[in-house]
Amino acid sequence: MFKILKHAILGPQVKQLVFEAPAVARKRKPGQFVILRINESGERFPLTIADADPKAGTITIIFQEVGKSTFQLGTLKAGDAVLDIVGPLGKPTEIEKFGHVICMGGGVGVAEIYPVAMALREAGNEVTAIIGARSKDLVILEEQMRRASHKLWVTTDDGSYGYHGLVTDPLKEILNDTNKKVDRVFCIGPVPMMRAVAEATRPYGIPTIVSLNPIMVDGTGMCGACRVEVGGETKFACVDGPDFDAHQVNFDLLMKRLTIYKDQEKLSWELWKQQHGKCTKKS
Amino acid sequence: MAKKIIPYAVPMPEQDPKERIHNFNEVPLGYSPEMAIAEANRCLQCKKAPCIAGCPVAIDIPAFINLIAQGDFIAAYRKVMEKNVLPAICGRVCPQEDQCQKMCVMGVKNEPIAIGRLERFVADYAMQVGKTEVPQRLRSTGKRVAVIGSGPSGLTVAGDLAKMGHSVTLFEALHATGGVLVYGIPEFRLPKDILKKETEVLAKLGVEIQTDYVIGITEMVDELLDRYQAIFIGTGAGLPYFMNIPGENLNGVYSANEFLTRNNLMRAYLFPQWDTPIKPSRNVAVIGGGNTAMDAVRIAKRLGAENAYLIYRRSRAEMPARDEEIHHAQEEGIIFHLLENPIRIIGDEKGWVKEIELIRMELGEPDESGRRRPIPIKGSEHTLKVDTVIMAIGQGPNPLLLSTTPGLKLNKRGYIQVDPQTGATSKKGVFAGGDIVTGSATVILAMGAGRTAAKAMHEFLK
């Protein structure tokens, strides 16, 4: 059992949980994830580790409620526990002194880019961060991202806060600024956003790293559910990734594979809503 | 007086194929006490007992069968437990026809004694009457042992060393113990309850079980060496192979590992009561001819497939699956496409499997495996309409632990190199056994390797 020590609401349907998971906390590096299972009949699903405190033996998970398992997780409070957490899985993000780096996060992906930005800054990079959300109330971790970067751009699709536009808009401005060299771009967010960023940096030949989020079961290279195509080769995101060269990723395939269980996910979610309608309203 | 020869074994009652393709309940129903006694009475009680030599863990087979014949089932159970603490599992999944039963003297001219069925009977009987017992544990040695992987070899090592008085921690990457027994073997062949009850014996022996713990990730082998005097690696062959043909990443293509894990470990057949989904399919092609392929295709049938095809590139004679499994699959209406091999998988515009293209094969000269080499017949390409394809063509060694353990010598195929007499690896105090040494093999061979390593580890710890 893995106990929840802290529960916080960061935005509409965005929750933060701090778990007691000392073995994971000890080893975790930015870019890694855990597989979590809530209860005996629960599914195994991957969540990126947003932060960890090896001394306290805790890890922080920030997630968006999008389906049954994440909504169910969101109903848990401090003092509750989940049955299983295993990790830290996946290869850590490659952190070194690159020079000027851009760290981009979209939606809940901001929680995942945050530890990467922090580590890059600590490694001596000049960090420009661009975080985006659909609207103002969905912007998360702005203060943390400000601390993790030298310059922060916040974009909203509807213009309700910050820069009116997509994260790729300020990115293009920076790329076009001939006075500003960009050595590497890191991006975590919805697949269309990561694809757009890859296309934006491709003409400039700037190394661009994305963190992929395919469907997983075991998370240790045993099942192959998380197959992605990178540079024409099949890779297992759980052990070969989740970070990959954005310019080599077959995003089309990733999008298609993410829809495999769309109907089942919907059914599961509808059933859960019927049974737990009250809980979701409360939170 | 010479014993009267009864040529045929007492048949095991089974669930009707028409019924069982709609459920996940166990197929063979087990012997009744009367059946067990009748079968036990067929045993010739040979003095030389070649059957014992055929058993990788050397169970005293004539002795336990004799006790069944006398009606003392609990004593028979104890006799088996002296050598094998997982009899309910082994009675079900061991390939007895290639081991103890192959050596049976009765089997020379008649059907061999059904040793596996009798082993299963005593184990199930003891469970039913609540007489399962924890084997005696010797005085604590104060030595600490780490066992990595809770599959058949790891369970055996943990059980044996705990009995010898060592303090054992069993590390498992998944959330449940059993390894391939829990994620790979379906409910209808090995009910999870049986597995659970039998592995609970380990906890009773004082084995500390640490699930959700991946050695090579959560902690490294070298770190364990600071806390443990000896280590056993039994991580299995868990890296799924694909064929590297076009279309393998289409939606609807699974590795057998994924398909089996979803259904066995995660109980996708109970979706949506259980959360893990599986896509319903009408026409399923399983590629391969081993036990894994049989398990996958029989699950597909139970999930409601109208047509469940098994596609194998050689003929029935070369199939590595157990006869019993092939027979069960045939009874259940699995459609066998022998001497055929996939060359590509064709998808629709949304990225879902639509068809599989096959080529007919013929058998040439034997290859290095001793089996006749399949050769494609030019111009024999044809397609089969399917919506799901499951690749059950084998597994390799998972690199997570191997690549993070410096000084661990591997063989040419990437498996751990060991001294076959002891299971000792190139790293002092580190032993290994099971599929991570041999490549995909059987449950009982892994248990045999575990037994060998446990003995050597006990010596090492002295």
Side-chain angles (χ1 to χ4, degrees):
Chain A
M1 297 288 267
F2 295 80
K3 211 167 120 188
I4 296 169
L5 302 177
K6 214 179 117 195
H7 168 281
I9 299 169
L10 300 189
Q13 260 123 57
V14 180
K15 303 256 165 93
Q16 173 180 311
L17 295 175
V18 176
F19 286 96
E20 197 175 71
V24 181
R26 215 160 28 230
K27 280 279 162 20
R28 165 269 176 191
K29 292 199 175 110
Q32 290 185 299
F33 64 94
V34 291
I35 294 259
L36 185 146
R37 192 175 70 128
I38 300 172
N39 56 13
E40 188 55 30
S41 59
E43 62 182 333
R44 294 170 65 98
F45 59 103
L47 290 169
T48 301
I49 307 167
D51 210 347
D53 184 340
K55 278 202 193 110
T58 60
I59 59 167
T60 302
I61 303 289
I62 295 171
F63 61 99
Q64 189 169 14
E65 294 165 331
V66 289
K68 183 204 164 162
S69 294
T70 44
F71 268 101
Q72 189 181 357
L73 188 62
T75 63
L76 302 181
K77 303 288 180 229
D80 292 341
V82 297
L83 216 45
D84 302 286
I85 289 180
V86 62
L89 302 170
K91 290 192 171 138
T93 300
E94 198 187 331
I95 304 286
E96 52 182 84
K97 191 171 172 183
F98 298 106
H100 177 218
V101 297
I102 302 182
C103 293
M104 309 180 62
V108 77
V110 175
E112 298 162 20
I113 201 73
Y114 163 65
V116 173
M118 203 67 179
L120 285 165
R121 186 178 170 144
E122 280 164 15
N125 291 282
E126 185 197 342
V127 179
T128 299
I130 309 172
I131 62 171
R134 284 201 309 279
S135 60
K136 186 184 176 185
D137 55 344
L138 289 164
V139 174
I140 58 166
L141 303 183
E142 187 185 346
E143 275 323 300
Q144 285 89 332
M145 283 305 292
R146 202 172 294 286
R147 284 201 299 277
S149 59
H150 296 89
K151 175 158 178 56
L152 173 72
W153 299 70
V154 182
T155 70
T156 50
D157 298 5
D158 64 0
S160 55
Y161 187 67
Y163 186 108
H164 184 179
L166 302 171
V167 286
T168 41
D169 297 331
L171 173 68
K172 283 174 188 163
E173 274 185 33
I174 300 166
L175 295 177
N176 283 329
D177 182 349
T178 45
N179 296 322
K180 203 83 200 150
K181 190 171 167 276
V182 177
D183 297 296
R184 196 168 271 238
V185 174
F186 296 84
C187 173
I188 309 176
V191 181
M193 170 188 151
M194 293 193 287
R195 186 196 338 231
V197 168
E199 288 321 311
T201 59
R202 191 190 303 274
Y204 299 88
I206 298 168
T208 302
I209 307 299
V210 286
S211 174
L212 304 185
N213 59 336
I215 294 168
M216 293 185 186
V217 185
D218 69 294
T220 60
M222 189 264 275
C223 84
C226 64
R227 302 198 295 289
V228 291
E229 205 180 282
V230 182
E233 269 181 58
T234 296
K235 301 275 180 194
F236 290 2
C238 69
V239 287
D240 300 322
D243 284 4
F244 291 104
D245 174 354
H247 298 147
Q248 302 284 322
V249 170
N250 182 342
F251 287 106
D252 255 343
L253 182 75
L254 178 64
M255 292 274 257
K256 282 176 181 158
R257 289 190 62 83
L258 281 168
T259 66
I260 295 178
Y261 296 105
K262 209 176 57 193
D263 299 345
Q264 284 79 10
E265 284 159 5
K266 201 173 156 215
L267 172 69
S268 199
W269 169 215
E270 293 296 329
L271 281 172
W272 194 79
K273 266 197 292 192
Q274 280 171 25
Q275 289 159 6
H276 299 84
K278 279 178 195 160
C279 299
T280 54
K281 270 176 211 143
K282 243 194 278 176
S283 60
Chain B
M1 192 182 80
K3 194 156 182 170
K4 193 177 166 233
I5 300 288
I6 303 160
Y8 295 104
V10 176
M12 172 100 98
E14 286 180 350
Q15 243 202 99
D16 189 298
K18 283 196 221 67
E19 292 285 323
R20 72 188 192 227
I21 58 167
H22 301 296
N23 67 54
F24 277 78
N25 301 334
E26 201 172 11
V27 170
L29 301 171
Y31 276 165
S32 65
E34 296 73 29
M35 291 172 183
I37 291 173
E39 183 61 21
N41 274 319
R42 289 181 65 228
C43 178
L44 301 172
Q45 291 292 319
C46 310
K47 283 222 172 61
K48 272 177 72 184
C51 50
I52 300 177
C55 174
V57 295
I59 294 172
D60 189 344
I61 294 165
F64 99 82
I65 290 181
N66 191 36
L67 288 163
I68 296 177
Q70 291 167 21
D72 194 347
F73 304 139
I74 293 302
Y77 163 75
R78 284 190 190 128
K79 182 53 77 183
V80 174
M81 286 290 279
E82 285 173 11
K83 290 293 168 75
N84 178 9
V85 291
L86 306 170
I89 296 170
C90 290
R92 286 171 167 83
V93 302
C94 270
Q96 294 98 8
E97 64 278 9
D98 290 325
Q99 296 176 335
C100 53
Q101 291 176 194
K102 192 180 190 174
M103 313 295 279
C104 177
V105 173
M106 180 69 100
V108 177
K109 286 187 181 159
N110 303 294
E111 274 186 14
I113 307 302
I115 301 167
R117 295 174 189 173
L118 291 173
E119 181 184 27
R120 170 185 163 164
F121 167 76
V122 294
D124 288 2
Y125 182 86
M127 262 185 216
Q128 267 162 29
V129 300
K131 288 275 184 161
T132 50
E133 53 190 61
V134 183
Q136 280 272 311
R137 199 179 168 194
L138 299 180
R139 223 162 53 97
S140 171
T141 61
K143 298 280 168 63
R144 292 171 57 82
V145 180
V147 175
I148 307 168
S150 68
S153 70
L155 290 174
T156 307
V157 173
D160 281 8
L161 290 178
K163 276 196 279 184
M164 295 170 192
H166 303 297
S167 164
V168 181
T169 308
L170 180 59
F171 293 100
E172 169 55 49
L174 290 170
H175 58 257
T177 52
V180 72
L181 301 170
V182 67
Y183 77 77
I185 299 182
E187 181 76 15
F188 55 81
R189 271 214 301 135
L190 176 64
K192 298 289 164 287
D193 269 356
I194 300 272
L195 175 65
K196 203 169 163 228
K197 278 184 194 147
E198 217 148 68
T199 50
E200 272 167 9
V201 172
L202 289 182
K204 288 181 191 153
L205 272 169
V207 174
E208 189 195 325
I209 296 172
Q210 177 81 60
T211 51
D212 295 325
Y213 211 94
V214 192
I215 303 304
I217 287 185
T218 317
E219 199 168 359
M220 308 301 152
V221 169
D222 283 350
E223 291 174 283
L224 291 181
L225 279 169
D226 294 338
R227 294 193 280 137
Y228 296 93
Q229 280 94 49
I231 292 178
F232 177 80
I233 303 172
T235 49
L239 184 78
Y241 285 153
F242 288 88
M243 291 183 76
N244 292 318
I245 56 172
E248 272 184 310
N249 291 334
L250 287 164
N251 289 356
V253 182
Y254 297 87
S255 73
N257 273 2
E258 180 188 354
F259 188 76
L260 293 172
T261 301
R262 282 183 179 275
N263 283 290
N264 301 336
L265 178 70
M266 306 309 296
R267 316 256 180 130
Y269 64 92
L270 298 175
F271 179 85
Q273 283 77 38
W274 287 57
D275 290 345
T276 303
I278 193 85
K279 199 84 186 168
S281 42
R282 297 174 72 169
N283 301 296
V284 180
V286 175
I287 319 302
N291 288 320
T292 305
M294 295 301 153
D295 287 343
V297 78
R298 294 173 69 199
I299 289 176
K301 186 78 188 175
R302 283 161 173 76
L303 289 172
E306 286 162 32
N307 297 300
Y309 304 106
L310 187 113
I311 295 165
Y312 180 54
R313 62 192 180 135
R314 304 187 210 235
S315 75
R316 169 77 169 77
E318 289 82 20
M319 269 194 181
R322 289 183 68 189
D323 277 346
E324 186 184 317
E325 304 309 323
I326 298 170
H327 172 70
H328 280 149
Q330 282 169 329
E331 278 184 341
E332 289 166 13
I334 305 304
I335 304 159
F336 284 64
H337 282 246
L338 302 176
L339 289 164
E340 288 184 44
N341 204 30
I343 47 178
R344 70 179 169 132
I345 304 164
I346 303 158
D348 65 17
E349 64 288 345
K350 285 185 175 156
W352 284 89
V353 172
K354 189 171 75 174
E355 283 178 322
I356 186 164
E357 186 171 350
L358 306 167
I359 189 162
R360 285 188 222 289
M361 312 290 277
E362 59 189 350
L363 294 178
E365 294 300 309
D367 61 14
E368 56 285 0
S369 77
R371 294 176 299 178
R372 293 177 64 191
R373 184 192 304 274
I375 303 163
I377 303 172
K378 255 194 181 162
S380 69
E381 296 86 349
H382 57 287
T383 60
L384 189 63
K385 215 182 120 197
V386 293
D387 47 32
T388 298
V389 176
I390 300 163
M391 291 293 172
I393 55 164
Q395 289 97 241
N398 188 316
L400 282 182
L401 181 147
L402 306 180
S403 64
T404 54
T405 309
L408 191 66
K409 222 169 157 185
L410 307 182
N411 65 22
K412 268 190 217 144
R413 294 161 62 221
Y415 296 97
I416 300 175
Q417 198 169 311
V418 301
D419 174 350
Q421 303 302 316
T422 61
T425 69
S426 57
K427 230 173 143 73
K428 196 175 171 224
V430 180
F431 297 75
D435 286 2
I436 192 60
V437 168
T438 57
S440 288
T442 63
V443 169
I444 193 70
L445 275 176
M447 292 178 65
R451 168 78 23 94
T452 303
K455 271 187 210 148
M457 290 170 83
H458 184 58
E459 286 303 313
F460 173 81
L461 289 165
K462 272 181 186 169

